[in-house]
Amino acid sequence: MRGLTDGDVSPSRGSLQAVITAAAVLAALALLVSACATGGTGTRDEGPARADSVAGAAASPSPSPVHTMQRVDPVRLVKADPLVSDAVKKSLRPCVGDDYPVDVSYGDLTDGSVDDVVINVLTCGDAVGVGSYVYRANGDRYQNVFQSEESPVYAEIDRGALMVTKQVYKNGDPVSNPSGENVITYVWKAGRFVQDDFHHTDYGTTVDTTPAQTPAPAPADN
């Protein structure tokens, strides 16, 4: 029996190579089938997150309450209010033509769905406040929830609070020149306005009211 040369292939060696090749092919097929069955991409199965998934995971912000403004007829509202004094109602007359001495402001003071109404009734001549009122929407009506008729008075909305200013006069003070003022701030709590702050201011008296001296005329040249 002759020995094997380098060009000869033994049957056992060829069978081993065939087995290795078949095993490799089967492994590749198994990997491909597994990737297709799981819907993956083979080497990486996670992809970028879908936009709708991210949007769904984020918490949706709760909508802020919407306040609406409904304009009112301030003169009709005040005159129809049984809580307003007869003196204020009688003074509420047009100054010129149909121009009534009223100031009207709208804003959120009582956390309602409709803006509250602040009405100041003034005098025609010097615009002194004779009555201040706050009306809150209650269904299809407006309810008087605050009033001050201690003249002179003026109410306004200040960052969600009600600020009422009252001029202070001493004996002999003219209407146009009070000695000071009181400012009272109210906030809405438990269905009503309660006082939250108070401060008083004395006006300065630095204005010189002494009549100016007229200089004597210079002597004429002869």
Side-chain angles (χ1 to χ4, degrees), residues 3 38 76 113 134 150 202:
T38 57
R76 182 178 179 181
S113 58
V134 178
E150 298 177 3
D202 284 325

Side-chain angles (χ1 to χ4, degrees), residues 189-208:
K189 289 183 179 180
R192 65 189 184 93
F193 282 104
V194 295
Q195 182 174 321
D196 183 65
D197 185 51
F198 171 88
H199 66 267
H200 171 81
T201 301
D202 284 325
Y203 296 152
T205 57
T206 57
V207 178
D208 186 5

Side-chain angles (χ1 to χ4, degrees), residues 152-197:
V153 62
Y154 194 88
E156 55 190 322
I157 301 172
D158 181 27
R159 292 170 292 183
L162 177 65
M163 186 171 67
V164 179
T165 302
K166 298 181 179 181
Q167 305 293 334
V168 177
Y169 291 87
K170 294 180 180 179
N171 291 336
D173 287 345
V175 174
S176 59
N177 190 24
S179 297
E181 68 176 15
N182 294 329
V183 178
I184 310 171
T185 303
Y186 298 89
V187 295
W188 185 258
K189 289 183 179 180
R192 65 189 184 93
F193 282 104
V194 295
Q195 182 174 321
D196 183 65
D197 185 51

